[in-house]
Amino acid sequence: MSMTGSPLGDELFQSSSRLKKIEATPLPKPLKTRVISVSNQKGGVGKTTSTVNLAAALAAKGLKVLVIDLDPQGNASTALGIEHGEGTLGVYEVLIEGAEIKDAVQVSPENPNLSCLPATIDLAGAEIEIVTAFERENWHALLKTAIDTYLAQGNHPDYIFIDCPPSLGLLTVNAFVAATEVLLPIQCEYYALEGLSQLLRNIERIQQALNPQLVLSTILLTMYDSRTKLASAVVDDVRQHFPAQTLNSVIPRNVRVSEAPSFGRTVISHDKSSVGSLSYLEAAIEIAQKGAQNGR
């Protein structure tokens, strides 16, 4: 029985066409390493999911990517198949004990182009220890110093994604000081823009006091449900307020995206032809192309 003209047949044809276009699109390498902090103080917006899937998408297109898991929950490490049990050398040792990133980085089994600096449970106490280090002039630049050292040692990833905790605490301040860009995932649901003004004020404070290079470069709309008017209204609202930053690609609700971490994988390797994977691949292409257009 032919599926031509059926909803399922149309969907399969669209997915095949999208995947062919994605695979045929070459990605520009950035002029230098792009350091992108992925942040939203609201939980449950797809922050970690977006971090690992964008990183995996860029790696699948041949670019070298490092993910820094700055969230004590360690979900990014889990999704990338990275060991992060107690005793594992990770971001805590880098920030607090002066370990070097090169000694703590692990290559993801997902892709040889993809590596991760893991988060262990020790990171949960890092903010307290950073507080006690306030008298040190560089308490806010612990991560930046470590990244600068890593790059100076001849390591040249095309992208570094920093997965921030869902708060605006001292770990996030370190991420904002280390990064040149902020990527903001926004959930296509009620209260999506709640807290956004506070985040933008914090970015502005960091710009003025600690890192004038920091910009909100990218907004990614996540958990989109085409069946609801609310989701479309959120998309329209965000694009109206942030036309230059908001990607055309929108990430839909998709069971493949949700189940992939339980296999220690991203959706890119779990099911490359799924609508979730295709959407993240298209978003990654857009991020790379927009960066090239803006001289990054």
PDB file of all heavy atoms in Angstrom, residues 79-111:
ATOM      1  N   ALA A  79      24.241  13.109  29.289  1.00  0.00           N
ATOM      2  CA  ALA A  79      23.730  13.040  27.917  1.00  0.00           C
ATOM      3  C   ALA A  79      24.832  12.790  26.902  1.00  0.00           C
ATOM      4  O   ALA A  79      24.584  12.224  25.833  1.00  0.00           O
ATOM      5  CB  ALA A  79      22.986  14.335  27.573  1.00  0.00           C
ATOM      6  N   LEU A  80      26.054  13.203  27.235  1.00  0.00           N
ATOM      7  CA  LEU A  80      27.177  13.015  26.316  1.00  0.00           C
ATOM      8  C   LEU A  80      27.942  11.719  26.589  1.00  0.00           C
ATOM      9  O   LEU A  80      28.983  11.474  25.992  1.00  0.00           O
ATOM     10  CB  LEU A  80      28.126  14.216  26.397  1.00  0.00           C
ATOM     11  CG  LEU A  80      27.531  15.545  25.907  1.00  0.00           C
ATOM     12  CD1 LEU A  80      28.495  16.698  26.181  1.00  0.00           C
ATOM     13  CD2 LEU A  80      27.194  15.484  24.416  1.00  0.00           C
ATOM     14  N   GLY A  81      27.419  10.907  27.515  1.00  0.00           N
ATOM     15  CA  GLY A  81      28.064   9.630  27.809  1.00  0.00           C
ATOM     16  C   GLY A  81      29.385   9.777  28.526  1.00  0.00           C
ATOM     17  O   GLY A  81      30.280   8.942  28.394  1.00  0.00           O
ATOM     18  N   ILE A  82      29.514  10.839  29.338  1.00  0.00           N
ATOM     19  CA  ILE A  82      30.773  11.160  30.009  1.00  0.00           C
ATOM     20  C   ILE A  82      30.742  10.698  31.464  1.00  0.00           C
ATOM     21  O   ILE A  82      29.778  10.961  32.190  1.00  0.00           O
ATOM     22  CB  ILE A  82      31.025  12.692  29.958  1.00  0.00           C
ATOM     23  CG1 ILE A  82      31.175  13.170  28.509  1.00  0.00           C
ATOM     24  CG2 ILE A  82      32.234  13.077  30.785  1.00  0.00           C
ATOM     25  CD1 ILE A  82      32.380  12.645  27.782  1.00  0.00           C
ATOM     26  N   GLU A  83      31.813  10.042  31.914  1.00  0.00           N
ATOM     27  CA  GLU A  83      31.922   9.629  33.302  1.00  0.00           C
ATOM     28  C   GLU A  83      31.999  10.865  34.202  1.00  0.00           C
ATOM     29  O   GLU A  83      32.821  11.765  33.986  1.00  0.00           O
ATOM     30  CB  GLU A  83      33.189   8.782  33.487  1.00  0.00           C
ATOM     31  CG  GLU A  83      33.542   8.464  34.924  1.00  0.00           C
ATOM     32  CD  GLU A  83      32.452   7.699  35.651  1.00  0.00           C
ATOM     33  OE1 GLU A  83      31.847   6.784  35.033  1.00  0.00           O
ATOM     34  OE2 GLU A  83      32.200   8.022  36.837  1.00  0.00           O
ATOM     35  N   HIS A  84      31.129  10.931  35.225  1.00  0.00           N
ATOM     36  CA  HIS A  84      31.188  12.087  36.139  1.00  0.00           C
ATOM     37  C   HIS A  84      30.824  11.690  37.566  1.00  0.00           C
ATOM     38  O   HIS A  84      30.242  12.463  38.318  1.00  0.00           O
ATOM     39  CB  HIS A  84      30.304  13.242  35.629  1.00  0.00           C
ATOM     40  CG  HIS A  84      28.841  12.914  35.526  1.00  0.00           C
ATOM     41  ND1 HIS A  84      27.910  13.400  36.426  1.00  0.00           N
ATOM     42  CD2 HIS A  84      28.142  12.171  34.638  1.00  0.00           C
ATOM     43  CE1 HIS A  84      26.712  12.973  36.086  1.00  0.00           C
ATOM     44  NE2 HIS A  84      26.821  12.221  35.002  1.00  0.00           N
ATOM     45  N   GLY A  85      31.197  10.469  37.920  1.00  0.00           N
ATOM     46  CA  GLY A  85      30.978  10.023  39.292  1.00  0.00           C
ATOM     47  C   GLY A  85      31.938  10.689  40.260  1.00  0.00           C
ATOM     48  O   GLY A  85      32.887  11.390  39.873  1.00  0.00           O
ATOM     49  N   GLU A  86      31.699  10.464  41.534  1.00  0.00           N
ATOM     50  CA  GLU A  86      32.548  11.047  42.577  1.00  0.00           C
ATOM     51  C   GLU A  86      33.993  10.619  42.362  1.00  0.00           C
ATOM     52  O   GLU A  86      34.284   9.454  42.080  1.00  0.00           O
ATOM     53  CB  GLU A  86      32.054  10.593  43.951  1.00  0.00           C
ATOM     54  CG  GLU A  86      32.664  11.372  45.101  1.00  0.00           C
ATOM     55  CD  GLU A  86      32.008  11.048  46.434  1.00  0.00           C
ATOM     56  OE1 GLU A  86      30.967  10.358  46.439  1.00  0.00           O
ATOM     57  OE2 GLU A  86      32.548  11.488  47.460  1.00  0.00           O
ATOM     58  N   GLY A  87      34.895  11.563  42.454  1.00  0.00           N
ATOM     59  CA  GLY A  87      36.314  11.275  42.243  1.00  0.00           C
ATOM     60  C   GLY A  87      36.796  11.559  40.832  1.00  0.00           C
ATOM     61  O   GLY A  87      38.002  11.542  40.578  1.00  0.00           O
ATOM     62  N   THR A  88      35.856  11.823  39.918  1.00  0.00           N
ATOM     63  CA  THR A  88      36.235  12.160  38.544  1.00  0.00           C
ATOM     64  C   THR A  88      36.771  13.584  38.496  1.00  0.00           C
ATOM     65  O   THR A  88      36.183  14.495  39.085  1.00  0.00           O
ATOM     66  CB  THR A  88      35.016  12.044  37.597  1.00  0.00           C
ATOM     67  OG1 THR A  88      34.490  10.731  37.681  1.00  0.00           O
ATOM     68  CG2 THR A  88      35.402  12.357  36.166  1.00  0.00           C
ATOM     69  N   LEU A  89      37.884  13.778  37.821  1.00  0.00           N
ATOM     70  CA  LEU A  89      38.427  15.120  37.637  1.00  0.00           C
ATOM     71  C   LEU A  89      37.475  15.912  36.745  1.00  0.00           C
ATOM     72  O   LEU A  89      37.102  15.458  35.665  1.00  0.00           O
ATOM     73  CB  LEU A  89      39.803  15.035  36.987  1.00  0.00           C
ATOM     74  CG  LEU A  89      40.683  16.297  37.022  1.00  0.00           C
ATOM     75  CD1 LEU A  89      41.045  16.644  38.461  1.00  0.00           C
ATOM     76  CD2 LEU A  89      41.940  16.078  36.202  1.00  0.00           C
ATOM     77  N   GLY A  90      37.039  17.077  37.223  1.00  0.00           N
ATOM     78  CA  GLY A  90      36.052  17.840  36.468  1.00  0.00           C
ATOM     79  C   GLY A  90      36.149  19.330  36.697  1.00  0.00           C
ATOM     80  O   GLY A  90      37.190  19.852  37.133  1.00  0.00           O
ATOM     81  N   VAL A  91      35.058  20.017  36.449  1.00  0.00           N
ATOM     82  CA  VAL A  91      35.062  21.479  36.485  1.00  0.00           C
ATOM     83  C   VAL A  91      35.290  22.006  37.908  1.00  0.00           C
ATOM     84  O   VAL A  91      35.859  23.078  38.086  1.00  0.00           O
ATOM     85  CB  VAL A  91      33.757  22.032  35.852  1.00  0.00           C
ATOM     86  CG1 VAL A  91      32.567  21.781  36.743  1.00  0.00           C
ATOM     87  CG2 VAL A  91      33.898  23.511  35.528  1.00  0.00           C
ATOM     88  N   TYR A  92      34.887  21.263  38.922  1.00  0.00           N
ATOM     89  CA  TYR A  92      35.143  21.694  40.309  1.00  0.00           C
ATOM     90  C   TYR A  92      36.645  21.834  40.551  1.00  0.00           C
ATOM     91  O   TYR A  92      37.112  22.842  41.087  1.00  0.00           O
ATOM     92  CB  TYR A  92      34.540  20.692  41.295  1.00  0.00           C
ATOM     93  CG  TYR A  92      34.934  20.970  42.734  1.00  0.00           C
ATOM     94  CD1 TYR A  92      34.233  21.895  43.502  1.00  0.00           C
ATOM     95  CD2 TYR A  92      36.031  20.325  43.321  1.00  0.00           C
ATOM     96  CE1 TYR A  92      34.610  22.165  44.810  1.00  0.00           C
ATOM     97  CE2 TYR A  92      36.412  20.585  44.625  1.00  0.00           C
ATOM     98  CZ  TYR A  92      35.690  21.507  45.358  1.00  0.00           C
ATOM     99  OH  TYR A  92      36.070  21.790  46.647  1.00  0.00           O
ATOM    100  N   GLU A  93      37.394  20.805  40.164  1.00  0.00           N
ATOM    101  CA  GLU A  93      38.841  20.847  40.371  1.00  0.00           C
ATOM    102  C   GLU A  93      39.486  21.968  39.562  1.00  0.00           C
ATOM    103  O   GLU A  93      40.472  22.573  39.989  1.00  0.00           O
ATOM    104  CB  GLU A  93      39.457  19.499  39.993  1.00  0.00           C
ATOM    105  CG  GLU A  93      39.199  18.375  40.986  1.00  0.00           C
ATOM    106  CD  GLU A  93      37.783  17.830  40.911  1.00  0.00           C
ATOM    107  OE1 GLU A  93      37.080  18.087  39.909  1.00  0.00           O
ATOM    108  OE2 GLU A  93      37.370  17.131  41.856  1.00  0.00           O
ATOM    109  N   VAL A  94      38.919  22.259  38.387  1.00  0.00           N
ATOM    110  CA  VAL A  94      39.438  23.350  37.558  1.00  0.00           C
ATOM    111  C   VAL A  94      39.213  24.695  38.236  1.00  0.00           C
ATOM    112  O   VAL A  94      40.111  25.540  38.313  1.00  0.00           O
ATOM    113  CB  VAL A  94      38.789  23.315  36.157  1.00  0.00           C
ATOM    114  CG1 VAL A  94      39.100  24.596  35.382  1.00  0.00           C
ATOM    115  CG2 VAL A  94      39.280  22.098  35.375  1.00  0.00           C
ATOM    116  N   LEU A  95      37.996  24.908  38.745  1.00  0.00           N
ATOM    117  CA  LEU A  95      37.658  26.205  39.341  1.00  0.00           C
ATOM    118  C   LEU A  95      38.288  26.407  40.718  1.00  0.00           C
ATOM    119  O   LEU A  95      38.782  27.494  41.026  1.00  0.00           O
ATOM    120  CB  LEU A  95      36.134  26.335  39.477  1.00  0.00           C
ATOM    121  CG  LEU A  95      35.315  26.446  38.195  1.00  0.00           C
ATOM    122  CD1 LEU A  95      33.830  26.516  38.533  1.00  0.00           C
ATOM    123  CD2 LEU A  95      35.725  27.658  37.379  1.00  0.00           C
ATOM    124  N   ILE A  96      38.259  25.389  41.538  1.00  0.00           N
ATOM    125  CA  ILE A  96      38.606  25.551  42.950  1.00  0.00           C
ATOM    126  C   ILE A  96      40.032  25.110  43.264  1.00  0.00           C
ATOM    127  O   ILE A  96      40.700  25.702  44.112  1.00  0.00           O
ATOM    128  CB  ILE A  96      37.613  24.769  43.844  1.00  0.00           C
ATOM    129  CG1 ILE A  96      36.174  25.209  43.546  1.00  0.00           C
ATOM    130  CG2 ILE A  96      37.936  24.969  45.317  1.00  0.00           C
ATOM    131  CD1 ILE A  96      35.903  26.695  43.737  1.00  0.00           C
ATOM    132  N   GLU A  97      40.523  24.090  42.566  1.00  0.00           N
ATOM    133  CA  GLU A  97      41.827  23.526  42.924  1.00  0.00           C
ATOM    134  C   GLU A  97      42.922  23.845  41.913  1.00  0.00           C
ATOM    135  O   GLU A  97      44.064  23.416  42.088  1.00  0.00           O
ATOM    136  CB  GLU A  97      41.695  22.004  43.102  1.00  0.00           C
ATOM    137  CG  GLU A  97      40.745  21.636  44.238  1.00  0.00           C
ATOM    138  CD  GLU A  97      40.575  20.131  44.419  1.00  0.00           C
ATOM    139  OE1 GLU A  97      41.189  19.368  43.624  1.00  0.00           O
ATOM    140  OE2 GLU A  97      39.849  19.741  45.335  1.00  0.00           O
ATOM    141  N   GLY A  98      42.560  24.566  40.839  1.00  0.00           N
ATOM    142  CA  GLY A  98      43.581  24.974  39.878  1.00  0.00           C
ATOM    143  C   GLY A  98      43.994  23.904  38.886  1.00  0.00           C
ATOM    144  O   GLY A  98      45.025  24.038  38.214  1.00  0.00           O
ATOM    145  N   ALA A  99      43.204  22.829  38.772  1.00  0.00           N
ATOM    146  CA  ALA A  99      43.502  21.817  37.757  1.00  0.00           C
ATOM    147  C   ALA A  99      43.330  22.424  36.365  1.00  0.00           C
ATOM    148  O   ALA A  99      42.641  23.436  36.190  1.00  0.00           O
ATOM    149  CB  ALA A  99      42.569  20.613  37.920  1.00  0.00           C
ATOM    150  N   GLU A 100      43.959  21.823  35.362  1.00  0.00           N
ATOM    151  CA  GLU A 100      43.865  22.343  34.000  1.00  0.00           C
ATOM    152  C   GLU A 100      42.779  21.608  33.217  1.00  0.00           C
ATOM    153  O   GLU A 100      42.580  20.395  33.389  1.00  0.00           O
ATOM    154  CB  GLU A 100      45.217  22.211  33.290  1.00  0.00           C
ATOM    155  CG  GLU A 100      46.292  23.104  33.910  1.00  0.00           C
ATOM    156  CD  GLU A 100      47.541  23.168  33.050  1.00  0.00           C
ATOM    157  OE1 GLU A 100      47.664  22.394  32.083  1.00  0.00           O
ATOM    158  OE2 GLU A 100      48.404  24.030  33.342  1.00  0.00           O
ATOM    159  N   ILE A 101      42.108  22.344  32.359  1.00  0.00           N
ATOM    160  CA  ILE A 101      41.021  21.768  31.570  1.00  0.00           C
ATOM    161  C   ILE A 101      41.517  20.575  30.755  1.00  0.00           C
ATOM    162  O   ILE A 101      40.846  19.545  30.652  1.00  0.00           O
ATOM    163  CB  ILE A 101      40.386  22.838  30.653  1.00  0.00           C
ATOM    164  CG1 ILE A 101      39.605  23.856  31.497  1.00  0.00           C
ATOM    165  CG2 ILE A 101      39.468  22.200  29.609  1.00  0.00           C
ATOM    166  CD1 ILE A 101      38.996  24.997  30.691  1.00  0.00           C
ATOM    167  N   LYS A 102      42.721  20.698  30.196  1.00  0.00           N
ATOM    168  CA  LYS A 102      43.232  19.629  29.316  1.00  0.00           C
ATOM    169  C   LYS A 102      43.348  18.293  30.047  1.00  0.00           C
ATOM    170  O   LYS A 102      43.272  17.228  29.417  1.00  0.00           O
ATOM    171  CB  LYS A 102      44.589  20.032  28.729  1.00  0.00           C
ATOM    172  CG  LYS A 102      45.739  20.106  29.721  1.00  0.00           C
ATOM    173  CD  LYS A 102      47.043  20.443  29.030  1.00  0.00           C
ATOM    174  CE  LYS A 102      48.188  20.580  30.027  1.00  0.00           C
ATOM    175  NZ  LYS A 102      48.505  19.316  30.727  1.00  0.00           N
ATOM    176  N   ASP A 103      43.532  18.328  31.362  1.00  0.00           N
ATOM    177  CA  ASP A 103      43.668  17.095  32.133  1.00  0.00           C
ATOM    178  C   ASP A 103      42.323  16.509  32.542  1.00  0.00           C
ATOM    179  O   ASP A 103      42.254  15.354  32.981  1.00  0.00           O
ATOM    180  CB  ASP A 103      44.507  17.351  33.393  1.00  0.00           C
ATOM    181  CG  ASP A 103      45.930  17.769  33.061  1.00  0.00           C
ATOM    182  OD1 ASP A 103      46.467  17.249  32.050  1.00  0.00           O
ATOM    183  OD2 ASP A 103      46.491  18.612  33.784  1.00  0.00           O
ATOM    184  N   ALA A 104      41.253  17.302  32.423  1.00  0.00           N
ATOM    185  CA  ALA A 104      39.937  16.855  32.886  1.00  0.00           C
ATOM    186  C   ALA A 104      38.963  16.582  31.747  1.00  0.00           C
ATOM    187  O   ALA A 104      37.917  15.966  31.954  1.00  0.00           O
ATOM    188  CB  ALA A 104      39.342  17.908  33.831  1.00  0.00           C
ATOM    189  N   VAL A 105      39.299  17.026  30.545  1.00  0.00           N
ATOM    190  CA  VAL A 105      38.397  16.858  29.403  1.00  0.00           C
ATOM    191  C   VAL A 105      38.320  15.380  29.000  1.00  0.00           C
ATOM    192  O   VAL A 105      39.325  14.677  28.983  1.00  0.00           O
ATOM    193  CB  VAL A 105      38.891  17.713  28.206  1.00  0.00           C
ATOM    194  CG1 VAL A 105      38.276  17.241  26.904  1.00  0.00           C
ATOM    195  CG2 VAL A 105      38.538  19.173  28.437  1.00  0.00           C
ATOM    196  N   GLN A 106      37.115  14.945  28.677  1.00  0.00           N
ATOM    197  CA  GLN A 106      36.898  13.598  28.153  1.00  0.00           C
ATOM    198  C   GLN A 106      36.261  13.689  26.767  1.00  0.00           C
ATOM    199  O   GLN A 106      35.396  14.535  26.542  1.00  0.00           O
ATOM    200  CB  GLN A 106      35.972  12.795  29.067  1.00  0.00           C
ATOM    201  CG  GLN A 106      36.471  12.594  30.482  1.00  0.00           C
ATOM    202  CD  GLN A 106      35.470  11.811  31.310  1.00  0.00           C
ATOM    203  OE1 GLN A 106      34.891  10.839  30.848  1.00  0.00           O
ATOM    204  NE2 GLN A 106      35.255  12.261  32.539  1.00  0.00           N
ATOM    205  N   VAL A 107      36.673  12.825  25.862  1.00  0.00           N
ATOM    206  CA  VAL A 107      36.056  12.772  24.535  1.00  0.00           C
ATOM    207  C   VAL A 107      34.758  11.981  24.631  1.00  0.00           C
ATOM    208  O   VAL A 107      34.723  10.900  25.223  1.00  0.00           O
ATOM    209  CB  VAL A 107      37.004  12.126  23.502  1.00  0.00           C
ATOM    210  CG1 VAL A 107      36.318  12.001  22.143  1.00  0.00           C
ATOM    211  CG2 VAL A 107      38.279  12.941  23.383  1.00  0.00           C
ATOM    212  N   SER A 108      33.699  12.521  24.064  1.00  0.00           N
ATOM    213  CA  SER A 108      32.404  11.841  24.106  1.00  0.00           C
ATOM    214  C   SER A 108      32.400  10.657  23.140  1.00  0.00           C
ATOM    215  O   SER A 108      32.888  10.765  22.016  1.00  0.00           O
ATOM    216  CB  SER A 108      31.291  12.822  23.719  1.00  0.00           C
ATOM    217  OG  SER A 108      30.059  12.142  23.562  1.00  0.00           O
ATOM    218  N   PRO A 109      31.824   9.523  23.560  1.00  0.00           N
ATOM    219  CA  PRO A 109      31.666   8.395  22.633  1.00  0.00           C
ATOM    220  C   PRO A 109      30.729   8.727  21.480  1.00  0.00           C
ATOM    221  O   PRO A 109      30.694   8.023  20.473  1.00  0.00           O
ATOM    222  CB  PRO A 109      31.081   7.282  23.518  1.00  0.00           C
ATOM    223  CG  PRO A 109      30.499   7.978  24.702  1.00  0.00           C
ATOM    224  CD  PRO A 109      31.313   9.208  24.909  1.00  0.00           C
ATOM    225  N   GLU A 110      30.009   9.822  21.621  1.00  0.00           N
ATOM    226  CA  GLU A 110      29.095  10.293  20.575  1.00  0.00           C
ATOM    227  C   GLU A 110      29.828  10.617  19.270  1.00  0.00           C
ATOM    228  O   GLU A 110      29.381  10.277  18.183  1.00  0.00           O
ATOM    229  CB  GLU A 110      28.401  11.566  21.104  1.00  0.00           C
ATOM    230  CG  GLU A 110      27.516  12.267  20.127  1.00  0.00           C
ATOM    231  CD  GLU A 110      26.058  12.067  20.437  1.00  0.00           C
ATOM    232  OE1 GLU A 110      25.728  11.420  21.434  1.00  0.00           O
ATOM    233  OE2 GLU A 110      25.253  12.568  19.659  1.00  0.00           O
ATOM    234  N   ASN A 111      30.987  11.317  19.411  1.00  0.00           N
ATOM    235  CA  ASN A 111      31.692  11.810  18.229  1.00  0.00           C
ATOM    236  C   ASN A 111      33.094  12.234  18.658  1.00  0.00           C
ATOM    237  O   ASN A 111      33.240  12.917  19.679  1.00  0.00           O
ATOM    238  CB  ASN A 111      30.919  13.014  17.647  1.00  0.00           C
ATOM    239  CG  ASN A 111      31.424  13.475  16.300  1.00  0.00           C
ATOM    240  OD1 ASN A 111      32.619  13.687  16.109  1.00  0.00           O
ATOM    241  ND2 ASN A 111      30.522  13.642  15.348  1.00  0.00           N
TER     242      ASN A 111
END
